[in-house]
Every structure is written in structure tokens, then in C-alpha cells.
Amino acid sequence: MKNRAIAEVLSQQFGLQGASVSLRPIGNGHINTTMLLKNKQRALVVQKLNTCVFPEPEQLVTNARKIEQHLVRKARDGEYELAIIRHVPTIKGEYLVHHEDEVWRALEFIGGSYSEDVVDSEVKAKIAANAFGQFAAALDDFDATQLHHVIPDFHNLAMRIEKFEETLSQDPLGRAALCQSEIAFCRAQFSLAQEVVDVEAQLPLRACHNDTKINNMLFCSESNKARAVIDLDTCMPGYWLYDFGDMVRTFCSPEAEDSTNLENVRVREEIFAALVRGYKKPLSASLTDTEKHSFILGAKVMPFMIGLRFLTDYLDGDNYFATKYPEHNLQRAQNQFALYQDIVAKQAQLSHIIDAA
């Protein structure tokens, strides 16, 4: 009944009429609820925005539309070849629909495409990384300071550590006793935060995607080539080391991020090399030496920081990331810490791959 009611509201707002209108879930994102709204003539991706994560949804849409408009100009000038995620206005020309306590928006559906949750080949790793590189290169002349910080301190490791310690001290569900080894492990890595501060001071500020998971890139169903970079919700000012690091985090392990098969969680060097080659090529005219050398730090920071966030959310009662069972966030944290440890163990080898690419 709930889906039927919201389908009726959204179909009226976006002009999809008729008895054939349907609404079904798609994707597996942690934050927003994403669904496909369609009738016989048209299909739209509609999202219920998580206003706890994005308390200012207008800023999210403003950022994404600025990026969208910039990419449209680039495509018109022959400087961007991928499909572009476009917001769809309501019949009244608005980009957000407020219904009861929910906030929805619509995006054009990019058909003939598919996404992956785990990279299964060097070829796909290189294709996806190259797409994110094309996206970054197209934004090289975009003024990052005009973007809102929709999630302040999103990649601020020192703040994530502070939040972790605060949540741990409160321990609202008494879960700290269940993860003492993970807590001790995290605390042993906290010196990483100062290294991040020192490196960031030497880097140019960029307009970044900030969520370069493998499943935020669409492949073409017919050619298996890159189709589109999607999910622009966290496009904000930032540094390429985090976009690179999130690719390492989501491309390089043969296991999904919530797999409990920890003995198989590792960085696959051949996949790492493929993503380095794919990502760096479009950035060759813009990438500074300092940025290139920061990539290995990004490769370490992202799995550790996401693992810390999963562990913090577990301690806090799973209020941020969507979970399927009580231990889900704890198992995600364990998975990410295993990947981080393997990256640290192979740091010299991985740094050589970055330099040699």
C-alpha cells in the first residue's frame, strides 16, 4: 500500500500517467531509497533522500545540477563522452517533492546499462577507473568552492576518530564489549590522521565525486564499455586521493565489503595496477606529482576510515548505514580492516605500481 500511494504521488508530480505505472526497488545503496518509476512511455529513477544524512536536500540537488550542467557543456564541446545523470523537474518545474515527512527527487533512467558490486577482471577495473578519471578530468576547470559541503567533514579522519571515541564512551547499546579487539586495532592506527593533515596541506582543492564505488559506474550492456558515472550526491570540494582510495577499497578485494570470508579479503595487485592505469590516463594533464604520491595514502585511509565509520555506527545502534541484521556493520568493519591491513603490508609494492604506471 505504501509503494502504491507514493507511486501515485510521484507519477502525478512527474507527469507519468496511466494505469500501467509501477514502482520497484533498484540498486543496493546504503543511504537513500532508490526505485524505478515507469509506465509504458517512460522510466525515471526516483529516490527518497535520507534527510538525516542530507539535512539540506536542496543543497544536494544544487550541487548535482551544477555538476550536471558543467558536464553537459563539456559534452557539447566534445570533451566528455559518458552519459550524464540529469535531474528531472516536476510538472511545476521543481526538483524536490515533499510528501508527508519524505523528500523525493527524480533522475533520468539510463537504460542499456548494468553495475557491478565486485570487480571480476582487470579489464573492467581499468574501464571503470578510466570513467571516474574522465569525470574528474572534466571537472578540472570547475570551481570546487561553489559546491556546498552537503556532508561537512565527510573525509575528515580526525573528526571520524573523535566521533568514534564519543560514541564509544556512551556505548548506548552496550556493544563495546562485543568488539574489544576491533576497538584496540582502530586506536593503534590513529596516527594516520596527522599524516592526512600534512599531505592535504600540499594538495590542490578539487571538485570530487567522493563516492567512487565500483557500483557507482554503469557499464554498457551491449559493449561492456563505460556508460556513465552516477550518484553525484556527495560531489563536494575535496582531494583526488580519496576518490582513488575509494576505488582501491571497492575494486581491489575479491570479496564484497560485508563478506565474512576475511581470509580472502586482500588487495589484488593486478586489479590495483589496472585501476591506476585507467584512472591516471585522463588526468595526465592535470595530476601533480604531490597528488600522484598521495594516492597510496588514499588507498590506506579509505578502507580504514570506512571501517571506523561502520564500527562507530555499530556501537551507536546502526543509525547511519542500512543494515540487514544486528552484526552487519561490525562485519563490514572487520572486512574493511582486513583490507587495510593487506594494503599496509603491500605498501611498497603498491607505491611502485603507482609510480611506474
Side-chain angles (χ1 to χ4, degrees):
M1 291 296 294
K2 173 79 172 175
N3 278 4
R4 187 181 305 168
I6 193 62
E8 183 176 343
V9 169
L10 294 175
S11 62
Q12 291 175 354
Q13 290 282 342
F14 293 104
L16 274 69
Q17 303 300 325
S20 62
V21 171
S22 64
L23 183 70
R24 64 175 178 83
I26 57 171
N28 57 359
H30 293 331
I31 309 301
N32 299 320
T33 300
T34 305
M35 309 189 84
L36 185 67
L37 178 73
K38 64 183 296 187
N39 62 10
K40 291 181 179 179
Q41 291 76 38
R42 193 179 188 192
L44 296 177
V45 174
V46 292
Q47 285 188 316
K48 182 177 71 174
L49 300 178
N50 185 328
T51 52
C52 293
V53 176
F54 300 109
E56 302 288 344
E58 294 81 5
Q59 293 184 359
L60 180 153
V61 171
T62 296
N63 278 5
R65 292 197 66 236
K66 285 181 178 179
I67 297 290
E68 169 192 325
Q69 291 159 8
H70 183 83
L71 294 179
V72 167
R73 289 192 292 271
K74 286 287 185 178
R76 182 190 61 208
D77 296 337
E79 297 176 355
Y80 190 68
E81 298 178 354
L82 300 176
I84 299 166
I85 295 294
R86 299 171 189 258
H87 279 74
V88 178
T90 66
I91 56 177
K92 294 181 180 180
E94 299 170 343
Y95 287 93
L96 289 173
V97 174
H98 296 264
H99 175 67
E100 296 179 348
D101 294 327
E102 300 174 350
V103 181
W104 292 79
R105 54 104 178 257
L107 304 163
E108 289 287 0
F109 174 67
I110 298 178
S113 62
Y114 67 95
S115 64
E116 299 276 11
D117 288 324
V118 177
V119 176
D120 61 6
S121 71
E122 295 173 51
V123 171
K124 284 191 174 178
K126 186 177 180 181
I127 290 171
N130 186 264
F132 282 119
Q134 291 181 56
F135 180 86
L139 296 178
D140 185 40
D141 58 348
F142 182 92
D143 179 9
T145 62
Q146 66 179 290
L147 297 176
H148 296 287
H149 288 269
V150 292
I151 305 179
D153 295 315
F154 188 53
H155 285 150
N156 184 336
L157 180 56
M159 184 277 290
R160 299 295 182 185
I161 290 172
E162 183 179 333
K163 174 65 176 175
F164 165 76
E165 292 288 7
E166 176 186 335
T167 304
L168 179 60
S169 67
Q170 296 170 354
D171 194 16
L173 273 69
R175 289 178 167 180
L178 305 175
C179 52
Q180 286 297 301
S181 61
E182 289 80 11
I183 291 168
F185 173 79
C186 285
R187 285 175 163 164
Q189 317 307 315
F190 283 174
S191 61
L192 197 59
Q194 186 57 52
E195 185 179 353
V196 168
V197 171
D198 294 342
V199 170
E200 281 187 358
Q202 306 172 54
L203 300 174
L205 190 69
R206 305 286 194 181
C208 293
H209 186 280
N210 288 313
D211 195 16
T212 52
K213 297 193 297 288
I214 180 60
N215 57 16
N216 280 336
M217 203 291 296
L218 299 180
F219 293 90
C220 175
S221 299
E222 292 186 0
S223 68
N224 293 319
K225 293 181 179 179
R227 184 86 170 89
V229 170
I230 62 172
D231 194 353
L232 309 187
D233 295 351
T234 53
C235 284
M236 290 180 286
Y239 304 99
W240 282 343
L241 75 92
Y242 295 112
D243 279 3
F244 177 82
D246 218 14
M247 283 188 287
V248 173
R249 187 182 77 83
T250 62
F251 286 35
C252 289
S253 175
E255 298 288 328
E257 71 177 13
D258 59 355
S259 169
T260 58
N261 187 19
L262 298 185
E263 63 275 11
N264 199 39
V265 174
R266 57 186 173 82
V267 57
R268 293 173 289 177
E269 295 93 330
E270 70 280 6
I271 300 296
F272 184 92
L275 81 84
V276 170
R277 291 194 300 272
Y279 189 58
K280 285 179 66 176
K281 186 174 181 180
L283 302 179
S284 59
S286 308
L287 186 67
T288 69
D289 285 342
T290 306
E291 283 179 309
K292 182 182 74 172
H293 294 139
S294 75
F295 282 178
I296 190 62
L297 176 61
K300 292 190 297 182
V301 167
M302 287 308 297
F304 175 69
M305 181 157 55
I306 298 299
L308 182 66
R309 290 176 61 195
F310 283 143
L311 184 59
T312 302
D313 200 34
Y314 171 73
L315 292 169
D316 200 35
D318 309 312
N319 296 311
Y320 188 94
F321 298 106
T323 56
K324 297 178 181 177
Y325 44 87
E327 299 80 18
H328 201 174
N329 273 325
L330 177 59
Q331 292 173 356
R332 286 167 170 158
Q334 293 165 341
N335 177 297
Q336 293 300 287
F337 295 152
L339 180 61
Y340 165 77
Q341 289 176 285
D342 195 56
I343 292 169
V344 170
K346 297 173 179 175
Q347 179 169 339
Q349 180 182 351
L350 300 178
S351 294
H352 177 73
I353 291 172
I354 293 171
D355 291 338

